[in-house]
Amino acid sequence: MQTRQIAILGAGAMGSLFGGRLAEAGHAVTLLDIDDAHLAAIREHGLRLSTDAGERVVRNLRARRPESAREPADLLIVFTKTLHTTAALEAARGALGPQTALLSLQNGLGNAERLVRFAAPGHVLVGVTTWPADKAEPGRVSSHGSGTIRLRGADGSHTPALAHTVEALNAAGLACTADPDVWAAIWEKAAFNAALNGLCAVTQCTVGELTNTPDGEALALKIAGETVAVARALGVDANAAHVAANVRHALAHHRAHRPSMLQDVLAGRRTEIEAINGAVVEAARKTGLSVPYTESLLHLVRLVDARPR
Ligand code: NAD
């Protein structure tokens, strides 16, 4: 395996998990973040990583602020929340060169569009991951259970950048495949998140508490269905039955889960609502579809986001 220079922009839960696993596989990884306590903990003690393979310390990581990045990376993976993508890339220009591949596995829609301003054509990669991660405290991240990654070139091209990225992620045991049909998976995940993240953020219910009245499940299924309808109107082959089954499964089996949007609200941070429900509403307008449940939920979460912190 060829050692690659990999920068992780946004080294919170997911970025630290990916950075740690890629460093363990022998790549030269730099974590770029603005959380000085997290960066300092990693510099002083290494990254404490807890997965099903056990708890260990990853020491061969560089950790610095985005504006101090000086060397162009072969691959830069963006793992900020979507609302911070553009500002983070502006600050991290030192890590971007003409050959840098830029990858987003962030949730929501519009990630490729945000990245294309910063990379050469054919160098933007976009996809979806089912790996989970949580940041316990500065310098410490956990991820339990397994996951996969599916990605493609944003413009559909099969570049060496795509092949090298798939190879690097697989060498780190992250189960990555190149999938030209990944748009369907991206929209299906957005449909799931538009329903459960948004509803939990507004109601402060856990996922299971959404079933305390029949209205919760009905609302979730309406919102997920609206998003799938928009995807299909755009020619994306998202599967309504598949998404509805995932929503019902989460309501039944992930009852104690607090989705990230609820965690953001409870921590006084702004949510990713614009890249999820906001992007669905915008796309619906272009297709002439009406998405009243998704749009109402967008406006409600915007009100929560607008509260003074
Ligand atoms: P997180 O909040 O744990 O991490 C985001 C990091 O970005 C933070 O460390 C923050 O300090 C950093 N950041 C913010 N602004 C920055 C800037 N300008 N420059 C550099 N760094 C900056 O979030 P996360 O849970 O790791 O999620 C990241 C993305 O992955 C989101 O889009 C999320 O929806 C998606 N995702 C998360 C999971 C999960 O299980 N956590 C799973 C799949 C996808």
Side-chain angles (χ1 to χ4, degrees):
M1 184 199 68
Q2 196 188 342
T3 301
R4 307 198 72 76
Q5 299 285 336
I6 300 178
I8 308 282
L9 184 57
M14 292 296 282
S16 295
L17 169 68
F18 274 57
R21 297 279 303 257
L22 287 160
E24 286 182 314
H27 294 290
V29 176
T30 303
L31 304 178
L32 302 171
D33 205 291
I34 56 171
D35 181 341
D36 290 321
H38 188 51
L39 295 175
I42 293 168
R43 277 196 298 263
E44 282 167 36
H45 310 293
L47 172 71
R48 285 187 290 160
L49 188 57
S50 171
T51 68
D52 291 351
E55 180 131 21
R56 66 275 194 192
V57 178
V58 186
R59 298 195 188 275
N60 56 330
L61 284 165
R62 279 173 290 186
R64 53 178 69 141
R65 291 186 66 97
E67 58 274 16
S68 38
R70 294 284 175 265
E71 294 160 32
D74 299 316
L75 169 65
L76 183 146
I77 307 179
V78 183
F79 259 136
T80 63
K81 293 279 173 64
T82 47
L83 59 159
H84 300 125
T85 299
T86 302
L89 282 165
E90 295 280 4
R93 278 187 186 276
L96 301 174
Q99 297 306 323
T100 305
L102 260 185
L103 168 65
S104 168
L105 300 171
Q106 296 155 291
N107 281 332
L109 304 168
N111 292 314
E113 289 81 349
R114 281 183 277 278
L115 264 50
V116 287
R117 282 182 47 210
F118 296 91
H123 283 61
V124 173
L125 309 173
V126 67
V128 67
T129 181
T130 58
W131 286 101
D134 286 298
K135 191 166 122 194
E137 60 186 288
R140 185 152 168 245
V141 165
S142 66
S143 172
H144 291 285
S146 63
T148 59
I149 302 164
R150 293 156 67 184
L151 52 79
R152 56 168 276 158
D155 65 0
S157 54
H158 292 272
T159 55
L162 174 65
H164 291 148
T165 301
V166 171
E167 185 189 69
L169 291 167
N170 278 328
L174 291 166
C176 180
T177 44
D179 177 1
D181 299 325
V182 77
W183 296 125
I186 289 172
W187 273 87
E188 287 180 7
K189 194 169 189 203
F192 178 95
N193 284 332
L196 297 187
N197 265 278
L199 286 173
C200 291
V202 161
T203 60
Q204 303 207 354
C205 284
T206 64
V207 169
E209 285 167 352
L210 292 177
T211 63
N212 286 351
T213 70
D215 305 331
E217 177 169 337
L219 268 172
L221 292 173
K222 287 266 189 210
I223 293 161
E226 286 180 352
T227 301
V228 172
V230 173
R232 295 189 70 82
L234 290 168
V236 176
D237 193 20
N239 183 316
H242 187 203
V243 176
N246 285 345
V247 168
R248 287 200 178 95
H249 179 86
L251 292 172
H253 299 291
H254 299 164
R255 297 189 59 78
H257 178 59
R258 287 198 167 88
S260 61
M261 234 185 247
L262 173 54
Q263 291 180 36
D264 286 336
V265 169
L266 295 174
R269 296 184 296 256
R270 279 179 59 212
T271 69
E272 293 188 292
I273 195 73
E274 297 302 336
I276 303 178
N277 302 54
V280 174
V281 169
E282 201 182 309
R285 285 211 183 98
K286 289 184 191 142
T287 61
L289 285 180
S290 156
V291 289
Y293 291 93
T294 309
E295 190 158 6
S296 300
L297 187 55
L298 168 66
H299 293 160
L300 290 169
V301 177
R302 277 181 180 163
L303 279 171
V304 175
D305 272 350
R307 281 196 305 225
R309 290 151 220 289

